[in-house]
Amino acid sequence: FQLERDCRAAGAVVGGVLEQAKYWDRLAPIAYRDGSASSIGTILWYLDGASGEVLGDNIDPLLQFWHYSEGMDPIHYYIDRVVPRVGLLSQFPDKAAQIKLLPKYTPDSVVGVDHPGSNGADTVRVYMAWRRAIGGKGGKFVALAPGGPDGGLLLKNEAWKFDFFPTAHYRYDWDSKGFGGYAGARVIAPYHRASNRLLRTAFDGFDGAVPTVLLNEMEQDTEFSTVGWRRLFWKNNKPEVYLPKTVSDQVLAEIEKLEQKAHFAFGMNQAAAGGTRPAGLNSAPAQREWRDIKNERLSKQIANWAAMASDSARAIVALGSDAYKNKAIRTRAPGTAMLTEVKWPIDLKEEKYSV
């Protein structure tokens, strides 16, 4: 009975943290996009030094690293972060003097990709590294800000008692190379390239699809204006307005086929992605059947999305065991706008529950 109550209390706190961190509105959608476009989308869960709350943040998929030789469940994990100096001061107020002396770090901008002026803030670089617990041996967590008078500022150097990292990940699919995934962009890239080639052909043709007036060569003195709502004065033979067809219907049809094939290869229903349903599905049973078929196509992505939520909950519970110990926590009661007060279970051991 007590274990059930403890699990309910922990579940309520996890739900409150997810809502407070805007998991469903911001963190999860960004991780989904990153994991679809690149090898991995990541949410880092951490204990805020200023408020004592568990918070989450999205991590750049190109600034996280692991050892391929350690397989799909690596022992070591590294993050290279760009952090606002004011945020670092808030996180480590006891190291304020050293943080103020850290050099400003501005990441290189990619012309045409990054927004102009997007890297002009006062930011510093922070390296984060974890070794998870394994084989009965405890792990370790280290955070270091390079530079400064001493060559680097050690922010964290502490034991990590869990056999997982404080992160949640979205992968379009697992890759044989290890921790990272197989990007969904790699699936649709061939269709995208083929479509682009045909689109260039089509738009080049559209440039020639301009109205043309055919006149009798004997009527050279016909008056023709070039302004909007143009007028044409003719005498004997009425001129013909001709609109040349410069793009083949086959080209346009092939572009549409490529789009359909890309949706199919990715595992997404094209009509659902466009917010529509097939014509004729007006009855409730027919719509339910279509939703079942559509969700079956998305089963892999749905499972990966659910796994990311489970990993987030596991990380929150791990961090919450220290953050919320001996604290009364107010969280939203399920299905209502009212707040309820719960206490973090003191004796909730990891082997006693599952997420």
Side-chain angles (χ1 to χ4, degrees), residues 79 88 92 95 126-130 140-146 152-158:
I79 295 177
L88 203 62
F92 301 99
K95 294 180 170 61
V126 176
Y127 300 135
M128 308 177 74
W130 288 265
K140 194 173 185 179
F141 168 51
V142 176
L144 173 72
L153 174 59
L154 187 62
L155 299 169
K156 286 279 189 179
N157 184 12
E158 59 190 28

Side-chain angles (χ1 to χ4, degrees), residues 329-351:
I329 310 144
R330 288 189 175 183
T331 184
R332 194 180 304 278
T336 73
M338 301 182 65
L339 295 178
T340 182
E341 188 174 280
V342 297
K343 289 186 178 181
W344 185 263
I346 298 176
D347 245 355
L348 189 59
K349 306 271 186 211
E350 189 178 351
E351 65 272 9

Side-chain angles (χ1 to χ4, degrees), residues 23 31 81 89 107 113 147 174 197 202 239 251 274 300-301:
Y23 174 84
R81 296 196 69 188
L89 288 168
V113 177
W174 281 95
R197 287 196 299 270
V251 172
K300 179 175 63 177
Q301 286 91 327

Side-chain angles (χ1 to χ4, degrees), residues 85-161:
R85 191 185 304 272
V86 63
L88 203 62
L89 288 168
S90 175
Q91 181 77 359
F92 301 99
D94 56 321
K95 294 180 170 61
Q98 299 98 312
I99 292 174
K100 291 178 181 178
L101 298 176
L102 290 173
K104 179 181 176 180
Y105 174 70
T106 303
D108 295 332
S109 296
V110 180
V111 178
V113 177
D114 294 323
H115 295 291
S118 59
N119 292 329
D122 183 18
T123 53
V124 297
R125 195 173 196 174
V126 176
Y127 300 135
M128 308 177 74
W130 288 265
R131 183 191 186 279
R132 63 181 180 86
I134 185 171
K137 185 178 179 180
K140 194 173 185 179
F141 168 51
V142 176
L144 173 72
D150 300 325
L153 174 59
L154 187 62
L155 299 169
K156 286 279 189 179
N157 184 12
E158 59 190 28
W160 181 256
K161 60 184 179 181

Side-chain angles (χ1 to χ4, degrees), residues 15-329:
V17 171
L18 291 175
E19 182 178 359
Q20 182 68 23
K22 300 188 182 301
Y23 174 84
W24 304 109
D25 299 331
R26 178 174 60 86
L27 297 178
I30 292 176
Y32 170 80
R33 182 195 64 195
D34 289 343
S36 298
S38 64
S39 63
I40 195 168
T42 299
I43 301 171
L44 170 66
W45 295 99
Y46 62 95
L47 187 60
D48 183 60
S51 64
E53 299 289 334
V54 177
L55 301 178
D57 199 8
N58 292 102
I59 300 299
D60 189 326
L62 302 180
L63 297 179
Q64 44 191 305
F65 311 93
W66 53 87
H67 299 287
Y68 286 105
S69 59
E70 293 182 350
M72 294 185 178
D73 192 14
I75 302 171
H76 302 86
Y77 180 58
Y78 313 94
I79 295 177
D80 183 358
R81 296 196 69 188
V82 180
V83 181
R85 191 185 304 272
V86 63
L88 203 62
L89 288 168
S90 175
Q91 181 77 359
F92 301 99
D94 56 321
K95 294 180 170 61
Q98 299 98 312
I99 292 174
K100 291 178 181 178
L101 298 176
L102 290 173
K104 179 181 176 180
Y105 174 70
T106 303
D108 295 332
S109 296
V110 180
V111 178
V113 177
D114 294 323
H115 295 291
S118 59
N119 292 329
D122 183 18
T123 53
V124 297
R125 195 173 196 174
V126 176
Y127 300 135
M128 308 177 74
W130 288 265
R131 183 191 186 279
R132 63 181 180 86
I134 185 171
K137 185 178 179 180
K140 194 173 185 179
F141 168 51
V142 176
L144 173 72
D150 300 325
L153 174 59
L154 187 62
L155 299 169
K156 286 279 189 179
N157 184 12
E158 59 190 28
W160 181 256
K161 60 184 179 181
F162 305 102
D163 62 351
F164 55 87
F165 307 116
T167 53
H169 306 279
Y170 179 85
R171 304 169 183 85
Y172 170 77
D173 201 358
W174 281 95
D175 193 5
S176 59
K177 291 185 178 179
F179 192 56
Y182 188 93
R186 294 171 64 182
V187 175
I188 63 175
Y191 305 97
H192 180 67
R193 288 194 296 266
S195 179
N196 279 349
R197 287 196 299 270
L198 292 177
L199 283 170
R200 282 195 295 269
T201 300
F203 279 108
D204 289 343
F206 288 144
D207 289 339
V210 294
T212 303
V213 179
L214 302 181
L215 295 172
N216 190 296
E217 64 177 352
M218 302 301 294
E219 297 185 74
Q220 298 291 335
D221 57 344
T222 299
E223 297 182 22
F224 182 72
S225 65
T226 59
V227 298
W229 299 98
R230 59 176 61 96
R231 295 179 298 173
L232 179 66
F233 298 97
W234 54 280
K235 295 179 181 179
N236 300 317
N237 298 311
K238 183 178 180 180
E240 178 185 353
V241 178
Y242 171 69
L243 182 62
K245 186 176 181 180
T246 58
V247 181
S248 168
D249 289 337
Q250 288 181 320
V251 172
L252 299 178
E254 186 62 26
I255 293 173
E256 177 63 25
K257 286 181 183 178
L258 286 170
E259 184 177 353
Q260 293 174 358
K261 290 178 179 178
H263 278 86
F264 179 80
F266 190 83
M268 181 175 291
N269 184 281
Q270 187 177 10
T276 60
R277 66 171 183 265
L281 293 185
N282 298 320
S283 67
Q287 291 181 29
R288 285 195 296 269
E289 183 69 21
W290 177 70
R291 281 197 297 269
D292 290 341
I293 295 173
K294 175 191 66 176
N295 289 339
E296 187 174 344
R297 291 282 300 140
L298 284 169
S299 59
K300 179 175 63 177
Q301 286 91 327
I302 292 173
N304 294 340
W305 176 271
M308 180 173 63
S310 296
D311 289 345
S312 292
R314 183 176 63 170
I316 292 170
V317 171
L319 296 171
S321 60
D322 291 329
Y324 302 127
K325 185 168 54 178
N326 301 322
K327 284 185 180 179
I329 310 144

